[in-house]
Short mmCIF file of all heavy atoms in Angstrom, two decimals:
data_model
loop_
_atom_site.label_atom_id
_atom_site.label_comp_id
_atom_site.label_asym_id
_atom_site.label_seq_id
_atom_site.Cartn_x
_atom_site.Cartn_y
_atom_site.Cartn_z
N LYS A 1108 -4.13 16.83 -3.43
CA LYS A 1108 -4.51 15.40 -3.74
C LYS A 1108 -4.30 14.60 -2.41
O LYS A 1108 -3.14 14.54 -1.98
CB LYS A 1108 -3.74 14.82 -4.84
CG LYS A 1108 -4.01 15.48 -6.14
CD LYS A 1108 -3.64 14.65 -7.30
CE LYS A 1108 -2.18 14.66 -7.66
NZ LYS A 1108 -1.93 13.87 -8.81
N THR A 1127 -2.91 -1.63 -2.56
CA THR A 1127 -2.84 -1.31 -3.94
C THR A 1127 -3.17 0.18 -4.13
O THR A 1127 -2.44 0.95 -4.85
CB THR A 1127 -3.73 -2.17 -4.77
OG1 THR A 1127 -3.41 -3.50 -4.55
CG2 THR A 1127 -3.70 -1.87 -6.26
N SER A 1130 -0.39 2.48 -2.28
CA SER A 1130 0.81 2.65 -2.99
C SER A 1130 0.70 3.33 -4.24
O SER A 1130 1.54 4.24 -4.57
CB SER A 1130 1.63 1.27 -3.09
OG SER A 1130 0.74 0.37 -3.85
N GLY A 1131 -0.31 2.91 -4.99
CA GLY A 1131 -0.59 3.63 -6.31
C GLY A 1131 -0.82 5.11 -6.09
O GLY A 1131 -0.26 5.97 -6.87
N ALA A 1134 2.30 6.98 -5.20
CA ALA A 1134 3.20 7.06 -6.31
C ALA A 1134 2.92 8.16 -7.28
O ALA A 1134 3.72 8.70 -7.92
CB ALA A 1134 3.29 5.70 -7.02
N VAL A 1135 1.61 8.54 -7.36
CA VAL A 1135 1.19 9.59 -8.19
C VAL A 1135 1.04 10.83 -7.51
O VAL A 1135 0.34 11.84 -7.98
CB VAL A 1135 -0.04 9.26 -9.14
CG1 VAL A 1135 0.27 8.07 -10.06
CG2 VAL A 1135 -1.25 8.98 -8.26
N GLY A 1136 1.60 11.00 -6.30
CA GLY A 1136 1.60 12.29 -5.67
C GLY A 1136 0.67 12.51 -4.61
O GLY A 1136 0.51 13.76 -4.20
N ARG A 1201 2.10 -14.63 -11.80
CA ARG A 1201 1.67 -13.69 -12.83
C ARG A 1201 2.39 -12.37 -12.67
O ARG A 1201 1.92 -11.47 -13.29
CB ARG A 1201 0.13 -13.56 -12.66
CG ARG A 1201 -0.67 -14.79 -12.61
CD ARG A 1201 -1.68 -15.03 -13.64
NE ARG A 1201 -1.84 -16.41 -13.88
CZ ARG A 1201 -3.00 -17.06 -13.78
NH1 ARG A 1201 -4.02 -16.40 -13.32
NH2 ARG A 1201 -3.09 -18.38 -13.94
N ASN A 1202 3.29 -12.31 -11.76
CA ASN A 1202 4.25 -11.10 -11.57
C ASN A 1202 3.35 -9.92 -11.21
O ASN A 1202 3.59 -8.78 -11.66
CB ASN A 1202 4.88 -10.83 -12.85
CG ASN A 1202 6.29 -10.24 -12.64
OD1 ASN A 1202 6.89 -10.63 -11.64
ND2 ASN A 1202 6.74 -9.39 -13.43
N ALA A 1204 2.28 -7.62 -7.85
CA ALA A 1204 2.84 -7.43 -6.54
C ALA A 1204 2.06 -8.22 -5.48
O ALA A 1204 0.82 -8.11 -5.33
CB ALA A 1204 2.91 -5.92 -6.25
N GLU A 1208 4.89 -6.98 -0.68
CA GLU A 1208 5.53 -5.92 -1.69
C GLU A 1208 4.70 -4.64 -1.67
O GLU A 1208 5.34 -3.58 -1.71
CB GLU A 1208 5.61 -6.51 -3.05
CG GLU A 1208 6.74 -7.59 -3.18
CD GLU A 1208 6.67 -8.38 -4.45
OE1 GLU A 1208 5.63 -8.40 -5.13
OE2 GLU A 1208 7.63 -9.03 -4.83
N ALA A 1212 6.07 -1.04 -0.45
CA ALA A 1212 6.17 0.03 -1.31
C ALA A 1212 5.39 1.21 -0.65
O ALA A 1212 5.93 2.38 -0.82
CB ALA A 1212 5.45 -0.35 -2.72
N ASP A 1215 7.80 2.72 1.78
CA ASP A 1215 8.82 3.56 1.10
C ASP A 1215 8.33 4.79 0.49
O ASP A 1215 9.14 5.72 0.31
CB ASP A 1215 9.44 2.62 0.08
CG ASP A 1215 10.14 1.39 0.57
OD1 ASP A 1215 10.46 1.34 1.72
OD2 ASP A 1215 10.44 0.46 -0.24
N LEU A 1216 7.01 4.87 0.12
CA LEU A 1216 6.56 6.00 -0.58
C LEU A 1216 5.96 7.04 0.48
O LEU A 1216 5.40 7.97 0.14
CB LEU A 1216 5.41 5.74 -1.54
CG LEU A 1216 5.97 5.03 -2.85
CD1 LEU A 1216 4.85 4.37 -3.52
CD2 LEU A 1216 6.72 5.99 -3.65
N LYS B 624 7.86 -6.10 -17.16
CA LYS B 624 7.27 -7.27 -16.68
C LYS B 624 6.27 -6.87 -15.41
O LYS B 624 5.71 -7.77 -14.85
CB LYS B 624 8.24 -8.19 -16.02
CG LYS B 624 9.15 -8.71 -17.14
CD LYS B 624 8.77 -9.88 -17.83
CE LYS B 624 9.81 -10.53 -18.69
NZ LYS B 624 10.20 -9.71 -19.83
N GLU B 625 6.14 -5.63 -15.05
CA GLU B 625 5.43 -5.25 -13.92
C GLU B 625 3.90 -4.82 -14.36
O GLU B 625 3.69 -4.64 -15.48
CB GLU B 625 5.99 -3.89 -13.24
CG GLU B 625 7.39 -4.08 -12.79
CD GLU B 625 7.57 -4.95 -11.66
OE1 GLU B 625 6.60 -5.22 -10.84
OE2 GLU B 625 8.72 -5.53 -11.40
N HIS B 626 3.03 -4.85 -13.30
CA HIS B 626 1.68 -4.56 -13.57
C HIS B 626 1.25 -3.48 -12.49
O HIS B 626 1.96 -3.30 -11.60
CB HIS B 626 0.75 -5.71 -13.37
CG HIS B 626 1.09 -6.94 -14.26
ND1 HIS B 626 0.78 -6.87 -15.60
CD2 HIS B 626 1.85 -8.04 -14.04
CE1 HIS B 626 1.25 -7.97 -16.13
NE2 HIS B 626 1.94 -8.73 -15.27
N CYS B 627 0.08 -2.97 -12.73
CA CYS B 627 -0.50 -1.94 -11.83
C CYS B 627 -0.54 -2.42 -10.35
O CYS B 627 -0.89 -3.60 -10.25
CB CYS B 627 -1.90 -1.48 -12.28
SG CYS B 627 -2.78 -0.63 -11.01
N PRO B 628 -0.14 -1.70 -9.36
CA PRO B 628 0.36 -0.36 -9.42
C PRO B 628 1.83 -0.27 -9.43
O PRO B 628 2.45 0.83 -9.31
CB PRO B 628 -0.13 0.20 -7.99
CG PRO B 628 -0.04 -0.98 -7.08
CD PRO B 628 -0.30 -2.22 -7.94
N MET B 629 2.56 -1.42 -9.56
CA MET B 629 4.07 -1.42 -9.43
C MET B 629 4.68 -0.76 -10.59
O MET B 629 5.91 -0.33 -10.36
CB MET B 629 4.57 -2.81 -9.28
CG MET B 629 4.41 -3.48 -7.95
SD MET B 629 5.29 -2.40 -6.76
CE MET B 629 4.80 -3.11 -5.30
N PHE B 631 4.09 2.38 -11.83
CA PHE B 631 4.30 3.64 -11.45
C PHE B 631 4.93 3.79 -10.11
O PHE B 631 5.66 4.78 -9.75
CB PHE B 631 3.22 4.70 -11.71
CG PHE B 631 1.85 4.20 -11.30
CD1 PHE B 631 1.36 4.73 -10.15
CD2 PHE B 631 1.16 3.44 -12.10
CE1 PHE B 631 0.13 4.30 -9.71
CE2 PHE B 631 -0.09 3.03 -11.65
CZ PHE B 631 -0.67 3.47 -10.56
N VAL B 632 4.66 2.75 -9.25
CA VAL B 632 5.28 2.78 -7.88
C VAL B 632 6.83 2.64 -8.03
O VAL B 632 7.65 3.40 -7.42
CB VAL B 632 4.74 1.54 -7.02
CG1 VAL B 632 5.69 1.27 -5.90
CG2 VAL B 632 3.35 1.83 -6.54
N LYS B 635 8.26 5.88 -9.43
CA LYS B 635 8.36 6.89 -8.45
C LYS B 635 9.49 6.60 -7.35
O LYS B 635 10.21 7.54 -7.07
CB LYS B 635 7.05 6.94 -7.69
CG LYS B 635 6.96 7.88 -6.38
CD LYS B 635 6.97 9.27 -6.82
CE LYS B 635 7.01 10.17 -5.59
NZ LYS B 635 7.07 11.54 -5.91
N LEU B 636 9.67 5.40 -7.03
CA LEU B 636 10.75 5.03 -6.09
C LEU B 636 12.10 5.22 -6.61
O LEU B 636 13.05 5.74 -6.04
CB LEU B 636 10.57 3.55 -5.60
CG LEU B 636 9.45 3.28 -4.60
CD1 LEU B 636 9.33 1.83 -4.35
CD2 LEU B 636 9.73 4.05 -3.22
N SER B 663 1.98 10.79 -14.92
CA SER B 663 2.19 11.08 -13.53
C SER B 663 3.49 11.69 -13.18
O SER B 663 3.64 12.42 -12.23
CB SER B 663 2.01 9.72 -12.64
OG SER B 663 3.07 8.85 -12.79
N GLU B 666 3.18 15.31 -14.04
CA GLU B 666 2.25 15.89 -13.10
C GLU B 666 2.99 16.34 -11.74
O GLU B 666 2.61 17.23 -10.96
CB GLU B 666 1.12 15.08 -12.69
CG GLU B 666 -0.09 15.27 -13.64
CD GLU B 666 -1.23 14.24 -13.33
OE1 GLU B 666 -1.18 13.58 -12.25
OE2 GLU B 666 -2.06 14.08 -14.11
N GLN B 667 3.92 15.52 -11.43
CA GLN B 667 4.74 15.64 -10.18
C GLN B 667 5.91 16.54 -10.39
O GLN B 667 6.82 16.59 -9.46
CB GLN B 667 5.05 14.33 -9.56
CG GLN B 667 3.85 13.54 -9.14
CD GLN B 667 4.26 12.12 -8.59
OE1 GLN B 667 4.76 12.00 -7.51
NE2 GLN B 667 3.95 11.24 -9.37
#
Side-chain angles (χ1 to χ4, degrees):
Chain A
K1108 294 202 283 186
T1127 302
S1130 60
V1135 296
R1201 312 237 155 120
N1202 218 30
E1208 288 165 342
D1215 293 344
L1216 290 165
Chain B
K624 301 272 189 296
E625 303 290 341
H626 302 285
C627 165
M629 279 302 174
F631 44 101
V632 164
K635 171 74 183 178
L636 285 171
S663 74
E666 268 176 17
Q667 291 176 74

